[in-house]
Amino acid sequence: MREAEFCHPRLVAVYDAECPWSRDDDFFLAVVNETPCSRVLDLGCGTGRLALGMAAAGHTVTGVDPARASLEAARAKTGAERVTWLEGTSPILPDMAFDAAVMTSHVAQFLVDDDAWAGTLADLRRALVPGGRLVFDTRDPRARAWERWNPVASRRRIALPDGCEVVAWTEVTAVGDGTVGFTHHYTFPDGARLLSTATLRFRTEDQVRSSVQRAGFRVESIYGGWHREPVGSGDGELLVIARA
Ligand SMILES: C[S@@+](CC[C@H](N)C(=O)[O-])C[C@H]1O[C@@H](n2cnc3c(N)ncnc32)[C@H](O)[C@@H]1O
C-alpha cells in the first residue's frame, strides 16, 4: 500500500513509536520560537508531535495532513485540543493566516513532481502574511541517504507502547533522476506482515533555492545540519528558512 505508514492505523502506531521528539524538532521549535505567540501552520503534520510541542510553547497552531489515520492519532494525544487539525493538502489553506509555516521530517520530498511542489509553495506563500517565514527540511542528495536503506543496515526493532516489538526494514526499489522509490517491511508479533511503499524526490540545493524563490520567498538560510552547520557538513540535510 502506498504511504501506508501514514494511512494504516497499525503502521501509524509504529511511525509514532519510531519517531519521538528529536533534534529536528528542537531545530524547528527554536526557529518558530524566534517569534513568540505566532500563528503557525504545520503542513504534513502527521501524528502531531511538533504541532503539539509548538502549541505547548504558546503558539496558535494548525496541523494539516492528508492522512486521516495520522490525524486521528494526533487528535487522541494529550493537548490535542489546543491545535486546529485539518485533513487535506495545501489548496485548503486560508489566505494570509499564518506568521510561520513548517514542513518537517521531509514532507517536501513527498511532493515528487515539480508542478506539485511549485503548487504547494505557491499555496504556502498565499497562506503566510507578508514577512512570514517558511521552514522545512529536505535531504541533500549529495549525502546519498538511500544507500543506507537496505535490508541489513535498516533492520530495526520498534517497541510499541503495549510492549510489543515490530521488526522493520527498508529496501530501495528504484533510483531515478532525482527520485528514489522504496518499501518499508513490517512484521508484527502476531505474524502480520505489512508493507508501505513511497517515492521521494531529492532536490539539489540549487533546485530548492530556485523553486522557493520562484514562489515569492526570499531564502534567508540553508543549513546542512540540525546545529546550523553549513551545507555539505552536518547531517546531510538542506534546512531551509525563507521569508514571504
Ligand atoms: C514523514 S511524515 C512527517 C510527519 C510529521 N511532519 C513529522 O515530523 O513526524 C510525512 C507526512 O507528509 C504527509 N504528506 C504527504 N503528502 C502530502 C502533501 N501533498 N501535502 C501535505 N502533507 C503531505 C503524509 O501524510 C505524512 O504525514
Side-chain angles (χ1 to χ4, degrees):
M1 184 182 174
R2 247 191 124 59
E3 295 179 20
E5 62 175 327
F6 313 128
C7 306
H8 188 297
R10 282 193 100 176
L11 294 185
V12 168
V14 175
Y15 178 87
D16 213 31
E18 196 175 12
C19 301
W21 188 276
S22 188
R23 57 198 178 134
D24 53 340
D25 301 295
D26 289 336
F27 170 85
F28 286 108
L29 182 60
V31 175
V32 168
N33 278 347
E34 288 167 13
T35 309
C37 302
S38 300
R39 294 163 296 169
V40 187
L41 165 69
D42 185 349
L43 181 61
C45 62
T47 54
R49 184 188 64 256
L50 179 62
L52 291 166
M54 294 189 295
H59 303 287
T60 301
V61 181
T62 300
V64 177
D65 201 286
R68 181 170 298 178
S70 291
L71 280 181
E72 280 173 3
R75 284 191 177 109
K77 291 184 176 176
T78 304
E81 69 286 350
R82 292 197 198 137
V83 175
T84 301
W85 306 102
L86 299 176
E87 184 178 332
T89 55
S90 62
I92 71 167
L93 298 176
D95 291 355
M96 291 204 287
F98 302 104
D99 305 302
V102 300
M103 285 188 290
T104 72
S105 296
H106 312 113
V107 171
Q109 294 188 252
F110 288 87
L111 293 144
V112 174
D113 298 336
D114 285 334
D115 287 350
W117 175 233
T120 298
L121 288 171
D123 287 334
L124 286 164
R125 175 68 186 82
R126 177 178 57 72
L128 284 164
V129 296
R133 289 202 295 176
L134 170 64
V135 194
F136 66 93
D137 54 1
T138 183
R139 295 180 188 86
D140 188 343
R142 289 185 305 171
R144 304 180 72 82
W146 62 88
E147 291 182 351
R148 298 182 289 283
W149 300 347
N150 62 67
V152 175
S154 71
R155 192 178 166 85
R156 56 211 186 266
R157 290 179 171 276
I158 302 149
L160 301 182
D162 65 3
C164 287
E165 271 195 350
V166 175
V167 176
W169 53 276
T170 303
E171 64 174 342
V172 169
T173 51
V175 179
D177 187 14
T179 63
V180 176
F182 60 91
T183 301
H184 295 310
H185 297 251
Y186 305 88
T187 305
F188 286 78
D190 64 4
R193 289 170 181 258
L194 296 176
L195 303 179
S196 177
T197 64
T199 301
L200 294 182
R201 178 71 184 269
F202 283 74
R203 293 184 174 85
T204 64
E205 181 185 1
D206 283 351
Q207 289 169 333
V208 170
R209 194 179 282 278
S210 57
S211 58
V212 168
Q213 285 169 345
R214 267 197 303 276
F217 291 92
R218 181 165 52 82
V219 175
E220 287 188 338
S221 324
I222 303 185
Y223 300 110
W226 301 112
H227 297 291
R228 303 192 182 217
E229 297 91 336
V231 171
S233 58
D235 300 294
E237 298 281 346
L238 299 171
L239 308 179
V240 181
I241 303 177
R243 200 173 284 276

